[in-house]
């Protein structure tokens, strides 16, 4: 008598982990929009965040989780009221069942919360400590992990996903946007663009550079920026350069050095841009201010 082996159909299969983070963010945290070719799970352990997916803001409270599918443009923004902490796990899976998680927010019950706790504890054992810096983009290192750690992490996450997939419809809420979260999302993106322009005031940023960095089309970006700032991003950038030039002129720096420092191709182009914004040339401006 013999018994045939029954193959196990893996409804959800995780091929590997790309990153594991546990962040504690202040109330003003935000990061530029990003996209990647793997899934990302974001669980709010405390506080509240706004998840921006393809330009739509969605508010997540403590105990909720959202998934970002591969190549979905997304960013995370604190609500400017309270700090927050969140678990972020990115992983690779080609399973068709993963499409179930697209555009949904889950409010976790006892079982999925327990599974996430087991996952976090095992991740600490496997990695020594879970990375907690947003700027830390190093690959995960499991070379010194205890026996079976990586497989346990896979088991806990797979069970977590299967549990959510089998949960009742009442446990799942469609991701919806509110006007407040939409406004916050848009204003935060504009703030990030302004920071980007300030950081590059001594460079030569173009509209194409801004669009590429923030994954936005020129029409959408210019309309959004003008809505919040009353002018286009390049006009704003030019004024930042002009303000910097004024400061350097009054500090005694020569026009030629300022032109080079601010990334202009020639003194003529610098002087023309300065006069367009101020009404007088750099030399005339300096003489006028010193005379006063």
């Amino acid at each position: 008598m013999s018994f045939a082996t029954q193959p196990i159909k893996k409804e959800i299969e995780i091929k590997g982990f790309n990153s594991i983070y546990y962040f504690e963010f202040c109330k003003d945290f935000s990061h530029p929009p990003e996209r990647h070719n793997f899934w990302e799970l974001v669980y709010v352990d405390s506080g509240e965040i706004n998840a921006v997916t393809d330009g739509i803001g969605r508010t997540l409270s403590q105990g909720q989780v959202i998934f970002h599918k591969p190549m979905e443009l997304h960013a995370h923004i604190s609500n400017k009221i309270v700090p927050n902490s969140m678990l972020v796990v990115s992983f690779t899976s080609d399973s068709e069942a993963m499409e179930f998680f697209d555009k949904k927010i889950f409010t976790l019950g006892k079982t999925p919360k327990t599974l996430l706790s087991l996952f976090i504890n095992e991740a600490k054992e496997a990695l020594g400590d879970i990375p907690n810096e947003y700027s830390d983009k190093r690959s995960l290192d499991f070379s010194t992990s205890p026996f079976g750690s990586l497989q346990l992490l896979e088991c806990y996450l797979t069970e977590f996903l299967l549990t959510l997939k089998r949960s009742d419809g009442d446990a799942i809420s469609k991701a919806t946007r509110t006007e407040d979260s939409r406004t916050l999302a848009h204003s935060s993106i504009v703030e990030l663009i302004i920071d980007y322009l300030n950081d590059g005031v001594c460079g030569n940023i173009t509209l194409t550079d801004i669009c590429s960095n923030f994954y936005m089309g020129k029409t959408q970006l210019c309309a959004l920026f003008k809505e919040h700032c009353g002018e286009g991003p390049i006009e704003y950038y030019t004024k930042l350069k002009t303000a910097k030039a004024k400061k350097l002129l009054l500090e005694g720096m020569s026009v030629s050095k300022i032109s080079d420092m601010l990334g202009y191709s020639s003194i003529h182009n610098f002087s023309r841009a300065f006069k367009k914004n101020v009404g007088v040339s750099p030399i005339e401006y300096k003489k006028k201010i010193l005379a006063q």
Side-chain angles (χ1 to χ4, degrees):
M1 184 177 182
S2 62
F3 296 92
T5 300
Q6 177 62 49
I8 298 174
K9 182 181 179 181
K10 293 190 174 183
E11 304 283 3
I12 295 178
E13 183 176 11
I14 296 173
K15 291 187 173 182
F17 293 99
N18 302 86
S19 67
I20 301 173
Y21 293 102
Y22 188 90
F23 295 123
E24 293 179 333
F25 289 139
C26 65
K27 63 182 181 179
D28 296 314
F29 173 81
S30 60
H31 68 79
E34 60 183 16
R35 68 168 95 235
H36 38 64
N37 61 354
F38 43 78
W39 284 89
E40 183 175 294
L41 170 162
V42 179
Y43 170 69
V44 181
D45 200 20
S46 67
E48 185 178 277
I49 67 164
N50 281 277
V52 185
T53 55
D54 293 329
I56 301 174
R58 299 176 175 90
T59 301
L60 277 79
S61 302
Q62 182 177 358
Q64 291 188 314
V65 65
I66 191 172
F67 292 85
H68 301 299
K69 67 180 181 181
M71 303 313 295
E72 178 180 79
L73 185 64
H74 61 277
H76 303 113
I77 302 167
S78 297
N79 67 359
K80 300 185 182 297
I81 300 174
V82 295
N84 60 78
S85 58
M86 58 186 189
L87 172 70
V88 179
V89 182
S90 61
F91 57 95
T92 298
S93 176
D94 297 330
S95 302
E96 291 184 10
M98 286 300 302
E99 290 301 318
F100 167 79
F101 298 95
D102 182 25
K103 300 289 188 296
K104 290 191 180 79
I105 292 174
F106 298 82
T107 301
L108 301 188
K110 182 178 179 181
T111 298
K113 280 187 177 180
T114 300
L115 290 168
L116 275 191
S117 294
L118 291 170
F119 181 93
I120 292 172
N121 291 334
E122 190 60 39
K124 291 178 180 177
E125 288 288 327
L127 300 170
D129 201 5
I130 301 178
N132 57 12
E133 294 291 336
Y134 179 76
S135 59
D136 185 356
K137 304 300 182 183
R138 291 174 296 174
S139 298
L140 294 171
D141 182 8
F142 294 101
S143 60
T144 59
S145 302
F147 174 78
S149 283
L150 195 53
Q151 190 171 357
L152 277 173
L153 288 173
E154 179 209 2
C155 290
Y156 292 142
L157 183 57
T158 302
E159 186 176 357
F160 174 78
L161 296 171
L162 292 171
T163 300
L164 292 183
K165 181 70 171 68
R166 294 177 63 178
S167 61
D168 294 332
D170 292 341
I172 304 167
S173 59
K174 284 282 186 180
T176 56
R177 61 176 149 176
T178 64
E179 191 60 31
D180 288 343
S181 63
R182 176 182 178 276
T183 300
L184 178 58
H186 284 180
S187 63
S188 296
I189 290 173
V190 171
E191 289 173 8
L192 290 170
I193 295 173
I194 289 173
D195 289 342
Y196 174 70
L197 297 177
N198 272 299
D199 290 342
V201 72
C202 292
N204 188 24
I205 296 174
T206 65
L207 183 58
T208 300
D209 293 331
I210 305 171
C211 292
S212 176
N213 193 71
F214 290 91
Y215 299 99
M216 298 176 72
K218 292 181 180 180
T219 302
Q220 180 190 14
L221 187 144
C222 289
L224 177 62
F225 198 92
K226 190 169 185 179
E227 178 186 347
H228 288 266
C229 298
E231 59 188 339
I234 296 303
E235 289 79 9
Y236 187 94
Y237 183 52
T238 302
K239 288 182 179 179
L240 289 177
K241 284 180 171 289
T242 302
K244 180 73 172 179
K246 287 181 177 180
K247 182 175 182 295
L248 294 174
L249 281 168
L250 298 181
E251 289 176 355
M253 186 176 288
S254 69
V255 174
S256 61
K257 285 187 176 180
I258 295 173
S259 175
D260 290 339
M261 177 179 286
L262 295 181
Y264 287 95
S265 58
S266 67
I267 294 178
H268 173 72
N269 286 339
F270 165 59
S271 297
R272 184 174 59 182
F274 188 95
K275 187 172 184 178
K276 182 178 180 180
N277 279 281
V278 182
V280 295
S281 70
I283 295 298
E284 290 170 332
Y285 170 79
K286 185 174 182 178
K287 288 180 178 179
K288 179 180 177 182
I289 296 300
L290 292 178
Q292 293 175 350

